[in-house]
Amino acid sequence: MDVVLEVFDTFLFDYAYATFLPLGESGSASDATSVHATANVWQYRPATTAITLNPSTYAWLSQWPRDNIYRQALSLFTIAWAFGLLTYFLFASLSYVFLFNKEDAFNHPKYLKNQINMEIKTAASAIPVMGALTVPVFLAEVRGYTKLYDAWSEAPFPLYNILQYPFFIAFTDCCIYFIHRGLHYPPVYKVLHKPHHKWIVPTPFASHAFHPLDGLAQSLPYHVFPFLFPHQKLAYVALFVAVNFWTIFIHDGDYVANNPIINGAACHTMHHLYFNYNYGQYTTLWDRLGGSYRYPVPEKKYGPKDVNGAAPQSNGIASSKSKTS
């Protein structure tokens, strides 16, 4: 996140902090050099060698320099909140317009009245809280407590620059399976995960419509990964963005990725309908190993049913007839 933070500092935050938290009357663009040498001891070090963003004089004209932990926390929260809202509304809207199967969803008996409005309201209230909860992790990343690296030459070995991508997906897919399945443990489910399963027939706007702690729990593997394993900075940012897109797209109800390997919208629709199946994030591997995989069979009307034509369950707690606990 230090790369992202540097971009926002250069084009927005330096000026904002210099305006609202100025050094004082003596601080001006003309004496930025003396300010840098005395009151503001921050020194510019590029976050990445991939791009060069020379800071303006405003970078030295605030009481809170770029490396001030309070400034970093506030800036990271603002970025997380703004990015979360932007990606949610933009890509959920695009998915809704171009991919979402409106006819089948709106005619489904489990589709709620005013559901999209309720999904948006839940997501809009959850996103800033999730952003705030994630700030400590982002701070640790920015302040150098992870194994993030910049240049490809800093990788453990050259091929790792490629292998980190499937490694990241495999690690997070495994972790999220067990976290998600744990969220279905009845006492935990009732408090944290049930709000997301209110949407039995989800729309793309249900993608971020959950309890903030539920969202935090399922995002932890992404943030834990660079604390445990080397990870290239720009790859981390790219995968973080991709994860948010994927979260939206698996709620569009489209069956394009309906295959035995990818845990796409088809599989995740089954999870919302039947609750105790298809906990995985990207693949069906862990559901198959854990006995919780359910193959999605689409129906022309009223959405998917299982191979026996069973109707959706009415609650999210595992029943005695379920294959899983």
Side-chain angles (χ1 to χ4, degrees), residues 16-167:
Y17 285 107
T19 300
F20 295 104
L21 286 170
L23 279 174
E25 295 182 357
S26 61
S28 64
S30 61
D31 62 5
T33 303
S34 62
V35 169
H36 181 204
T38 57
N40 189 333
V41 296
W42 170 76
Q43 294 183 357
Y44 173 62
R45 295 183 180 86
T48 176
T49 57
I51 56 175
T52 301
L53 297 172
N54 293 321
S56 68
T57 53
Y58 292 110
W60 287 275
L61 299 180
S62 173
Q63 298 174 34
W64 284 5
R66 286 190 183 184
D67 59 356
N68 179 284
I69 191 170
Y70 301 110
R71 167 173 168 165
Q72 289 176 336
L74 180 58
S75 299
L76 290 167
F77 168 71
T78 303
I79 293 170
W81 188 1
F83 172 79
L85 289 176
L86 177 63
T87 55
Y88 171 70
F89 281 108
L90 176 59
F91 291 97
S93 297
L94 291 174
S95 178
Y96 175 81
V97 171
F98 296 107
L99 297 175
F100 181 56
N101 189 335
K102 303 175 188 63
E103 181 180 358
D104 285 354
F106 294 162
N107 288 313
H108 197 288
K110 295 294 184 179
Y111 184 81
L112 304 176
K113 183 180 179 180
N114 298 321
Q115 179 173 313
I116 291 179
N117 289 336
M118 291 189 289
E119 289 172 341
I120 291 175
K121 182 178 179 180
T122 301
S125 61
I127 287 172
V129 180
M130 288 187 290
L133 293 173
T134 311
V135 164
V137 181
F138 285 154
L139 270 177
E141 294 168 2
V142 167
R143 299 182 77 83
Y145 292 100
T146 67
K147 296 184 179 181
L148 290 169
Y149 64 91
D150 182 31
W152 281 32
S153 60
E154 299 174 29
F157 52 92
L159 188 59
Y160 186 84
N161 288 299
I162 304 301
L163 294 178
Q164 65 177 319
Y165 293 96
F167 184 27

Side-chain angles (χ1 to χ4, degrees), residues 217-240:
Q218 296 197 61
S219 70
L220 281 179
Y222 310 125
H223 301 299
V224 167
F225 185 87
F227 285 89
L228 300 177
F229 310 104
H231 201 26
Q232 205 275 334
K233 289 182 177 182
L234 297 181
Y236 173 78
V237 174
L239 287 167
F240 180 76

